[in-house]
Amino acid sequence: MDILQELSKSLQKGDADRVAELTQEAIDERLESKRILDDGLIAGMAVIGERFKKHEIFLPEVLFAAKAMYAGMDLLKPLLIKEGIPTIGKVVIGTVQGDLHDIGKNLVAIMLKGAGFEVIDLGNDVPPERFIEAAQKEAAEVIGMSALLTTTMPVMKKVIDLAKERGIYGKTKIIVGGAPLSSAYAKEIGADAYCYDGLNAVDCVKGFVGVG
Ligand code: B1M
């Protein structure tokens, strides 16, 4: 088994210590950090998602896998964030109210930081008001919202409606992402863009601030 397959398997077992060891080994072997992330950590989490869906595993296993994912991400983070790049814009990001899934949002934040953006991360379970207040206080160019549950997707529309009410809609661009989202849904609720992953989010945001 190659190191990335072993990494994926260890994540599936929820073995955070082994995930940290293998991630470090992969880094020491100079594997590309994006490959370690995609083919090791994210690949393992995709299997967990499938198995959870089929009721082959339950929430505690998913939680252990998420902890293991963070053990790997903590080591990759400094590599994904390139140092010393000047800030090219501000992004307020968070997972919407009622939703505790933050792994994808954190990855997007890391990618944006790596591309030179200042990221104000509001965390998860973020009420609409906080997105708008933070964007206004920080004079952010972009608000980024993440949702992983079909039941929390509608909160994104509440944030957009509030942005309209407060007069920042159109000035502050709004991007949305997360597994259940789509371009069609983003259009329907009035978001400026749907981004399918971190790199795509970087491209969108660069387009909005006119760089790249
Ligand atoms: Co939950 N969960 N979960 N979960 N969980 C899902 C999302 C689910 C699809 C599992 C399934 O049934 N197959 C399902 C949702 C079903 C639905 O709504 N259609 C589900 C459910 C049902 C639940 C609970 C309701 C379970 C329960 O309690 N009965 C519960 C809800 C809790 C809550 O939020 N209120 C719950 C809880 C949890 C844990 C806490 C145990 C844990 C989260 C831990 C954490 O995040 N700290 C968890 C996990 C880990 C998952 C799965 C297995 C993995 C999610 C993940 O981290 N993926 C997930 C199944 C799956 O997605 N395959 C599942 C890896 C991550 C890198 O991908 O988040 O998609 P993702 O992010 C991607 C893109 O989507 C995109 O870029 C990222 C990088 O490529 N992206 C953006 C995301 N946000 C973006 C924002 C952007 C741009 C791109 O711009 C701003």
Side-chain angles (χ1 to χ4, degrees), residues 49 52 59 62 98 100-104 146 149-150 178-179 195-197:
F52 181 62
L59 267 185
V62 182
L100 303 177
H101 296 87
D102 62 1
I103 296 173
S146 178
L149 299 170
T150 43
C195 306
Y196 53 83
D197 69 8

Side-chain angles (χ1 to χ4, degrees), residues 49-170:
E50 276 309 303
R51 297 195 64 207
F52 181 62
K53 200 156 124 192
K54 291 181 194 152
H55 308 290
E56 290 171 2
I57 55 168
F58 300 95
L59 267 185
E61 284 102 323
V62 182
L63 264 177
F64 279 119
K67 274 197 182 146
M69 176 110 188
Y70 274 121
M73 266 168 64
D74 282 349
L75 293 165
L76 284 178
K77 201 169 167 178
L79 300 176
L80 293 168
I81 300 173
K82 291 182 219 121
E83 279 169 31
I85 301 165
T87 292
I88 50 177
K90 271 191 196 177
V91 183
V92 163
I93 196 169
T95 304
V96 297
Q97 192 166 40
D99 202 324
L100 303 177
H101 296 87
D102 62 1
I103 296 173
K105 180 268 296 168
N106 289 344
L107 272 176
V108 175
I110 290 170
M111 296 297 187
L112 286 168
K113 281 182 197 165
F117 291 97
E118 187 178 336
V119 178
I120 297 105
D121 189 345
L122 304 177
N124 58 14
D125 194 15
V126 180
E129 186 77 27
R130 277 201 65 212
F131 277 106
I132 303 302
E133 274 174 2
Q136 287 181 312
K137 183 168 163 254
E138 301 287 343
E141 281 87 356
V142 178
I143 294 175
M145 290 184 275
S146 178
L148 263 286
L149 299 170
T150 43
T151 48
T152 57
M153 283 161 57
V155 179
M156 292 176 160
K157 173 139 188 342
K158 287 192 183 164
V159 176
I160 291 170
D161 289 345
L162 197 56
K164 287 179 183 164
E165 231 178 271
R166 300 285 162 86
I168 64 166
Y169 184 71

